[in-house]
Amino acid sequence: MTKIKKNFAFMAATMLATSSAGIAYADTGAVADEFKWMTFAVFGVIIAITMAITFWAARTTHSTSEFYAAGRSVTGIQNGWAIAGDYLSAASFLGIAGLISLYGFDGFMYSVGWLVAYITVLLVIAEPCRNIGKYTMGDILAFRNDPKKTKVVAALSTITVSTFYLTAQMVGGGVLIKTLIGIDYEISVIGVGLLMLAYVVFGGMKATTWVQITKAVLLVTASLILVFLVWSPYGFSLPAYLQAVVSDKDVIDQMVKLLGAKAANMSPEELGQRFLEPGLFLKNPIDQISLGMALVLGTAGMPHILMRFFTVPSAQAARTSVIWAMAIIGGFYVLTLFLGSGAAMLVGPAKIAAMDPGGNMAGPLLAQYLGGGADSMLGNFFLAFVAAVAFATIVAVVAGLVLASASAMAHDIYVGVIKGDHASQKEQVVAARVSSLIVGAMAITVGILAKGQNVAHLVALAFAVAASSNLPAVFLTLYWKKCNTTGIISGMLIGSITAIGLVMISPNMTYPKAVLGAAKKVMEGAPAVEAKAAVVSGGLMCELFATCPKAEPAVAAAPASLGAPAKKAALQEKLATVTDAAEKAKIEKEIAAQDKAITKAEGELKKFAGQTTSMAGLEKPFFLLKNPGLLSIPLGFLCVIIFSLLTKDKRAEEMWDELYVRQNTGINAEAANVH
Amino acid sequence: MSKREMNWAAIDTDPRFQELHRKKTSFLWGLMLLSTVYYFMLPIGAAYFQDLFKIKVWGVVNVGILFALSEFVVAWTIAFIYSQKANKQFDVMAQAIINDAHKLGA
C-alpha cells in the first residue's frame, strides 16, 4: 500500500514540476519565441532522464545509509563526477565565462581558486572524514567532543552555510532562467524547488548523485563541443587563437570602454593586448587574497561537499574521487578561458553586457552564434541545449544543498539530540524525508521573498562562514590532540558570527545614500571633477577599516557630464537631422540605452527615497573588503585553539588515540552496504 | 569486519604507526605549503608585478596567462604526486597495521 502511495506522490510531483516549467511562455528571453518549443523539448528530455533516475533510485532507498549516503556504494570515479556536478554552480558555469568575456585575464584568474580549493580537500579532509564520519559533519565533530552540544552547533552551522548558498542559487537560478527563456521568476523558483524535492525526497543521495553526474557530463560535453568549434579554426594553436581574440574590434572597443581616458594614447594592438593583462576587474589585491583564503579553506568545510565523501566505500575511493573531481573541475575551468574569450570575439562584450550586465549570457550567446546565429535552427538548438544545461546545473546543486541541510536537521538535531541516538531505521528515514520537505519549502519561500535582492555576496559569505567556522573545527578535531568541545563551540560561533558581521558592514550591502547619489548623477549629470593626486595608504588597518585614509589611485580631471534626459534630448535633436539609415539606427539605439538608464535611475530614486542607511545602519561601508576571510578565518582557528587550551575535556583527550588511528587506517570505518 | 574494541593506545604507540604518522605529516604539510604559496603568487603577481605579467613570450601569450595556466598544472601535479605516494606507500603501511591491529596490546 505504502509503495503505491509513494509512487503516486512521485508521479504527482513529477507532473507538477514539469508543467510548472512549461506554463509561462509569454515573456521574452535570450531564446526567441518561435524557438522556445525547442528549449522546452530539451528541458523535457532532461527532466525525464532525471525523473527516471529518481524512480530507479527510489526503489533501493530504504535505510538511513541508503538515504544519506547512497549505501556507500558510489565508486570513486562516479563520486568524482558527482562532486563536479555538486560544485560547478551556474555562477561558475555561466558567471566565469561571462567575466572572461568582459574583463579577459582577471576573469580567468578568478577561476583558479575554485580548483586549488580541492588540494585542501584532498590532502587533509577527504580521507579522514570518510574514515571517521557517518552521514554529517556533526558526526565527525561529535566523535571526540560532547556529542549533543557539538551536533547542535554543527547542524546550525551546516544549515546557515547551506541556506546562504541555497538562497544565492535559487535567486540566481530564477533570474537566469528568466533571462534565458523568459519564464516568470516565481514559476522557475517553484519549478526548480519541486524538481529538486522530487529527487531528494524519493531518491535520497542515490538520485542526487546520479542527477549530479548527469549534469556534470552534460556540462562538460556542451563545453567541449563549443570549445572545439571556437578553437578548431586556429588549428588548436593557443597563440594564433588569442591573436585573433586581441585583434577583434569588439574586444578593442570593450578595452576603450573599460580604460576610459587612459585608452587615448594606446594603439589598437596595445588595447587588444590589454584583454590578456591583469587589472581590469579585480582591483583590490587584499580582497583577492581574502577571497582566495575563503575558497581554499571554505570548500573543505562545505557540508554538501563533505557529505559526498560518505557515499564511497573506502578512504581510497574518497581519494580517487577527489582526483577525478580535480581533473573535471580544472579541465572545465580551462575550457572557460576559451568560452569567455570566444564569446568576446564572436559575440562581442557590448552585446553580452546588454543582455546581462554580469556577463552571464556569454556562454549561451556563444552557443547560439556557433550554431549559426539567432535566426538559425541549429543556433537556437545549441542555445536551448546550453539553457537546459544551466537549468540542470541549478537543480543538481540545489539538491545537494538541500540534502546536506536536511541531514543536519534530521540526523544531527532530531535523531542525535532529541532522540538521543535511539531511533529505528524507519523513523530515521521518515525524519530525513520530512526534513527535506521542510528545507525545500523553505528554499522556495526564501527564493520568492528574495526576488530582486542583491544576493551576489551570499556565495562568498557561505564560503567565508565554512572556512571560518566549519574548517577550523573539523581540521583541529582531526589533527590536534588538545582540541575539545569548548574550543569547537566557541570557535564555530565566533568564526561564523565574525564572518557574517563583517559582511553586514562591508561594501557588499546596499548603501541607499550611494545608490541615490549615483541615480541622481545619471538624471542630472555631474559637475566637472578636478584631478586628484594618489592617496598613500595609512597602513594595512586603513585598507580594512574606514578609520583612516586608504590608498587611492590618482584621478584624472573629468569635464562636467550631462544627465541622461539631457543626453536623450540632444540625441533626438540629432536624429531629426540625420538621413542615413545606418546612422539613424545607431542613434535610435543610443536613445534606447538612455531610456533604459533613466528608467533604472528613476526606479532606484523611488525605491530608496528617504533612506539613508544600510541594513546595519551605516551610510557607507565600515569594513572595506568584500570578503571577510582574511580576518574571520584566523579568528576562527585562534578561538578553537585558545578555548581548547583554557578548558579540560576528558572525553576529547581519551578519544584522541582512537580517532587518530582510525582516521589514518580506516579500521572500523562505516562499511558499504552489501546487496 | 565486525566492529570490536581495539587497544587504540597500543596501536598509536606502535612504531609502525608512528612511522606512518611521521611520513604522512611531513609529506602533507610540504605539499599543502607548496600549493598555498604557489596559489597566492597569482593574485600577488597580478597586483604588484604587472610589468612581469605583461611580457609577451609566445605570440600574444604573456607571462600572466602562462602563470595562470601553470596553476592548473601545479594543482594536478600535486594531486598526482599525493595519490601515487598514498597508493604506493601510505596504504601499504596502513594495511600492515590493520592486519596486526587485533594483536596489538591484546
Side-chain angles (χ1 to χ4, degrees):
Chain A
M1 209 269 309
T2 46
K3 194 158 182 189
I4 297 171
K5 225 160 80 186
K6 211 166 107 185
N7 282 347
F8 178 74
F10 175 78
M11 299 292 280
T14 316
M15 275 156 62
L16 249 169
T18 334
S19 55
S20 66
I23 297 170
Y25 221 75
D27 216 337
T28 50
V31 184
D33 279 340
E34 64 206 279
F35 292 112
K36 282 219 170 103
W37 61 271
M38 217 145 62
T39 311
F40 288 117
V42 184
F43 268 51
V45 172
I46 290 182
I47 292 173
I49 293 172
T50 52
M51 279 301 155
I53 290 172
T54 309
F55 194 77
W56 158 78
R59 287 167 45 195
T60 52
T61 300
H62 308 294
S63 72
T64 332
S65 143
E66 281 160 353
F67 188 86
Y68 290 129
R72 308 194 200 281
S73 56
V74 178
T75 68
I77 298 175
Q78 288 166 355
N79 198 37
W81 281 92
I83 292 170
D86 206 0
Y87 192 63
L88 295 171
S89 63
S92 58
F93 157 41
L94 300 174
I96 290 179
L99 286 180
I100 296 173
S101 77
L102 300 181
Y103 306 102
F105 179 85
D106 277 7
F108 185 51
M109 188 174 99
Y110 184 76
S111 71
V112 171
W114 303 83
L115 170 70
V116 174
Y118 276 88
I119 294 185
T120 320
V121 179
L122 175 69
L123 297 182
V124 295
I125 292 296
E127 295 175 44
C129 285
R130 173 61 187 84
N131 279 337
I132 296 297
K134 211 168 163 193
Y135 304 126
T136 62
M137 185 179 79
D139 288 333
I140 300 166
L141 297 180
F143 194 97
R144 53 187 285 233
N145 301 306
D146 183 297
K148 285 199 177 175
K149 285 184 200 158
T150 35
K151 277 189 175 176
V152 171
V153 180
L156 279 178
S157 182
T158 299
I159 294 168
T160 309
V161 171
S162 302
T163 308
F164 285 151
Y165 209 68
L166 196 57
T167 309
Q169 295 298 323
M170 292 301 266
V171 176
V175 173
L176 202 67
I177 292 174
K178 178 151 173 68
T179 322
L180 272 169
I181 34 179
I183 295 180
D184 280 342
Y185 176 87
E186 283 85 357
I187 292 171
S188 50
V189 167
I190 295 171
V192 165
L194 289 178
L195 264 180
M196 158 274 284
L197 270 179
Y199 305 147
V200 174
V201 172
F202 298 106
M205 182 53 105
K206 197 168 190 178
T208 306
T209 302
W210 282 97
V211 167
Q212 287 168 344
I213 295 174
T214 310
K215 165 264 174 112
V217 170
L218 282 172
L219 181 59
V220 170
T221 312
S223 310
L224 278 175
I225 294 172
L226 295 182
V227 170
F228 178 84
L229 292 174
V230 165
W231 202 8
S232 57
Y234 306 94
F236 300 105
S237 151
L238 184 64
Y241 168 73
L242 288 178
Q243 177 70 58
V245 172
V246 300
S247 314
D248 184 74
K249 193 181 162 296
D250 289 338
V251 174
I252 295 171
D253 285 348
Q254 170 77 355
M255 293 305 108
V256 172
K257 196 181 141 208
L258 289 175
L259 293 168
K262 273 183 260 172
N265 311 323
M266 291 167 78
S267 70
E269 287 78 44
E270 284 172 324
L271 282 167
Q273 186 67 26
R274 193 71 188 80
F275 187 73
L276 302 179
E277 294 169 356
L280 291 173
F281 176 64
L282 307 166
K283 315 241 168 180
N284 186 340
I286 300 175
D287 220 347
Q288 271 316 291
I289 291 168
S290 190
L291 172 68
M293 283 173 70
L295 286 181
V296 169
L297 299 173
T299 305
M302 280 288 181
H304 67 294
I305 299 294
L306 278 183
M307 200 176 177
R308 289 238 49 94
F309 297 112
F310 305 133
T311 66
V312 290
S314 65
Q316 285 76 15
R319 182 188 307 151
T320 313
S321 59
V322 189
I323 303 277
W324 273 88
M326 284 182 73
I328 299 160
I329 292 168
F332 174 76
Y333 283 132
V334 172
L335 295 184
T336 57
L337 174 64
F338 294 91
L339 295 179
S341 55
M345 170 170 68
L346 301 171
V347 181
K351 199 175 160 199
I352 295 166
M355 271 247 147
D356 176 89
N360 279 322
M361 290 300 123
L365 287 175
L366 175 68
Q368 191 183 41
Y369 177 90
L370 291 170
D375 305 316
S376 71
M377 194 77 169
L378 188 64
N380 281 284
F381 177 74
F382 272 29
L383 178 58
F385 188 69
V386 170
V389 172
F391 179 69
T393 293
I394 298 160
V395 175
V397 175
V398 167
L401 289 164
V402 166
L403 196 54
S405 303
S407 67
M409 209 183 257
H411 177 72
D412 291 339
I413 301 278
Y414 179 74
V415 177
V417 177
I418 298 178
K419 302 289 269 183
D421 260 337
H422 297 294
S424 69
Q425 280 288 326
K426 206 178 153 207
E427 202 181 347
Q428 293 197 36
V429 176
V430 171
R433 290 201 155 111
V434 172
S435 303
S436 309
L437 277 175
I438 296 173
V439 177
M442 218 170 66
I444 295 173
T445 317
V446 171
I448 290 176
L449 289 178
K451 182 184 180 181
Q453 295 295 311
N454 168 14
V455 292
H457 61 285
L458 286 179
V459 171
L461 185 56
F463 275 92
V465 173
S468 321
S469 155
N470 299 353
L471 188 81
V474 172
F475 179 80
L476 292 169
T477 294
L478 289 174
Y479 293 96
W480 189 43
K481 191 173 178 176
K482 290 202 168 69
C483 180
N484 66 27
T485 314
T486 322
I488 298 285
I489 290 177
S490 22
M492 289 183 88
L493 290 176
I494 296 173
S496 47
I497 290 169
T498 309
I500 297 170
L502 286 176
V503 168
M504 295 286 293
I505 55 169
S506 76
N508 293 303
M509 307 309 284
T510 305
Y511 294 88
K513 215 175 154 186
V515 177
L516 290 171
K520 224 173 125 191
K521 202 165 139 192
V522 170
M523 296 301 286
E524 294 164 14
V529 187
E530 275 179 54
K532 265 194 293 190
V535 179
V536 183
S537 171
L540 182 64
M541 282 310 279
C542 304
E543 297 295 316
L544 301 183
F545 295 101
T547 48
C548 40
K550 117 187 229 272
E552 302 275 4
V555 181
S561 64
L562 289 173
K567 273 190 208 156
K568 186 182 161 190
L571 284 166
Q572 273 166 336
E573 238 169 71
K574 197 169 156 201
L575 185 66
T577 60
V578 173
T579 45
D580 180 43
E583 187 73 5
K584 238 178 168 157
K586 200 177 148 208
I587 297 175
E588 272 165 0
K589 223 169 151 184
E590 280 170 32
I591 293 179
Q594 295 300 337
D595 273 333
K596 215 170 150 188
I598 294 172
T599 321
K600 189 168 165 245
E602 278 175 340
E604 271 160 1
L605 284 172
K606 214 167 114 190
K607 190 169 161 195
F608 294 105
Q611 294 182 41
T612 51
T613 60
S614 72
M615 235 153 84
L618 292 174
E619 278 188 6
K620 55 179 195 237
F622 180 70
F623 180 63
L624 301 175
L625 302 183
K626 286 182 176 166
N627 300 286
L630 191 69
L631 292 181
S632 63
I633 298 170
L635 190 68
F637 273 96
L638 210 64
C639 285
V640 178
I641 294 171
I642 291 174
F643 284 94
S644 293
L645 288 176
L646 287 177
T647 51
K648 257 193 113 53
D649 187 337
K650 222 172 130 222
R651 183 169 180 263
E653 269 179 50
E654 280 173 3
M655 293 296 285
W656 168 254
D657 282 340
E658 178 176 351
L659 175 120
Y660 198 70
V661 170
R662 280 177 61 171
Q663 66 148 305
N664 278 297
T665 57
I667 298 172
N668 281 3
E670 297 285 328
N673 288 12
V674 186
H675 285 288
Chain B
M1 193 194 305
S2 68
K3 287 187 189 180
R4 61 177 102 175
E5 274 312 302
M6 302 263 177
N7 188 338
W8 302 108
I11 303 176
D12 193 16
T13 47
D14 188 85
R16 284 173 298 176
F17 186 77
Q18 286 298 316
E19 172 79 6
L20 173 66
H21 158 75
R22 219 175 14 253
K23 284 220 163 114
K24 231 173 148 174
T25 310
S26 58
F27 187 72
L28 292 184
W29 278 110
L31 282 188
M32 196 66 210
L33 197 71
L34 177 74
S35 78
T36 311
V37 169
Y38 199 76
Y39 167 59
F40 284 106
M41 272 164 69
L42 180 66
I44 291 171
Y48 303 107
F49 299 94
Q50 293 198 351
D51 289 338
L52 174 69
F53 270 35
K54 287 177 180 175
I55 297 170
K56 289 194 250 179
V57 283
W58 185 24
V60 294
V61 180
N62 57 26
V63 174
I65 297 271
L66 288 181
F67 192 74
L69 285 170
S70 79
E71 291 276 349
F72 290 85
V73 178
V74 167
W76 286 326
T77 309
I78 288 176
F80 180 76
I81 292 173
Y82 169 71
S83 73
Q84 288 297 306
K85 182 97 172 171
N87 291 340
K88 292 203 176 119
Q89 195 179 19
F90 300 153
D91 283 356
V92 179
M93 290 171 80
Q95 193 56 50
I97 298 163
I98 296 167
N99 293 341
D100 287 350
H102 296 282
K103 286 182 243 158
L104 288 170

